[in-house]
Amino acid sequence: KALAAGLYVILNSHHDSFETELGSAATNQDVAKQDSAIIVELWKQVATKFKDYNEKLIFETFNEIHDGDNWSSDNEAQLNLLNVWNQYAVDAIRATGAGNATRWIGIPGYAASPKSGLAATFQLPTDPANRLMVSAHFYDPSNFTLSPEGEWGVSEWGHNATPGNFVEDCNEDYVEDTFIQL
């Protein structure tokens, strides 16, 4: 219905078994091999199902993939494995042909954070269609955007918020600067 209404739709792999296993997969080849096979098969099946949909359907390889409860990582083995997994997903999608040969694909860094998408360790996969975009999920300031009714002590946002009710250095200038960098 969303596509029929003219909207763009982003379809991603969301809360799959490997989503929080990046740490164990980076240190255990059996887990990495198993998760890699799941990723390839998952994207092969999803891409085949949707290969004839128009360009308003966009795929995003992963949703905020991370290691357990660790939402920030500088672990090189994990970051490199995520680059490999993104390549596997792109290859599986492109191999199904039809609309997927040139469909836009979002590629997230670790936890899909803007910081990880800007990091030197982040690599866009090789893509014959050259139709990849960096995918970032932006929740800053998290203790405002993810907190119901100021439960975490921050109930306002922006330059005209009441002093003490907002996160210092995380207002409009911060958001604009982050998106300019992206």
Side-chain angles (χ1 to χ4, degrees), residues 2 34 38 40 56-57 60 62 80 83 86 93 95 101 119 139 143 150 172-173:
Q34 176 184 338
I38 291 169
V40 169
K56 289 195 172 188
L57 175 63
E60 178 187 44
F62 302 108
N80 289 334
N83 288 332
N86 275 317
I93 292 165
Y139 301 106
N143 50 347
E172 293 93 341
D173 290 344

Side-chain angles (χ1 to χ4, degrees), residues 75-140:
N75 181 301
E76 217 170 298
Q78 293 176 15
L79 300 175
N80 289 334
L81 182 57
L82 180 53
N83 288 332
V84 169
W85 283 356
N86 275 317
Q87 184 69 62
Y88 288 163
V90 168
D91 292 346
I93 292 165
R94 294 292 184 235
T96 62
N100 294 330
T102 58
R103 183 174 312 288
W104 280 101
I105 304 172
I107 308 297
Y110 189 93
S113 78
K115 178 183 171 189
S116 68
L118 294 165
T121 51
F122 175 76
Q123 297 173 356
L124 281 174
T126 301
D127 179 31
N130 196 28
R131 305 245 320 175
L132 303 178
M133 62 180 99
V134 174
S135 173
H137 301 185
F138 190 73
Y139 301 106
D140 290 343

Side-chain angles (χ1 to χ4, degrees), residues 3-179:
L3 290 171
L7 300 173
Y8 284 83
V9 173
I10 299 174
L11 191 150
N12 70 12
S13 161
H14 205 95
H15 298 292
D16 288 294
S17 61
F18 51 81
E19 186 174 291
T20 59
E21 288 185 355
L22 189 59
S24 58
T27 58
N28 182 322
Q29 285 201 317
D30 290 337
V31 174
K33 186 176 180 180
Q34 176 184 338
D35 288 347
S36 296
I38 291 169
I39 290 162
V40 169
E41 189 59 30
L42 173 121
W43 278 110
K44 188 167 103 180
Q45 290 179 33
V46 170
T48 298
K49 172 75 175 174
F50 293 100
K51 71 181 180 182
D52 294 323
Y53 281 65
N54 70 32
E55 72 283 349
K56 289 195 172 188
L57 175 63
I58 298 167
F59 293 146
E60 178 187 44
T61 57
F62 302 108
N63 175 66
E64 301 174 0
I65 198 162
H66 58 284
D67 175 21
D69 289 329
N70 184 5
W71 289 92
S72 177
S73 178
D74 292 327
N75 181 301
E76 217 170 298
Q78 293 176 15
L79 300 175
N80 289 334
L81 182 57
L82 180 53
N83 288 332
V84 169
W85 283 356
N86 275 317
Q87 184 69 62
Y88 288 163
V90 168
D91 292 346
I93 292 165
R94 294 292 184 235
T96 62
N100 294 330
T102 58
R103 183 174 312 288
W104 280 101
I105 304 172
I107 308 297
Y110 189 93
S113 78
K115 178 183 171 189
S116 68
L118 294 165
T121 51
F122 175 76
Q123 297 173 356
L124 281 174
T126 301
D127 179 31
N130 196 28
R131 305 245 320 175
L132 303 178
M133 62 180 99
V134 174
S135 173
H137 301 185
F138 190 73
Y139 301 106
D140 290 343
S142 61
N143 50 347
F144 172 76
T145 61
L146 301 175
S147 173
E149 301 297 320
E151 186 177 300
W152 297 338
V154 179
S155 59
E156 299 178 35
W157 181 84
H159 70 280
N160 59 355
T162 307
N165 286 342
F166 65 92
V167 177
E168 218 39 72
D169 299 323
C170 205
N171 288 315
E172 293 93 341
D173 290 344
Y174 170 76
V175 172
E176 288 176 14
D177 183 56
T178 299
F179 280 86

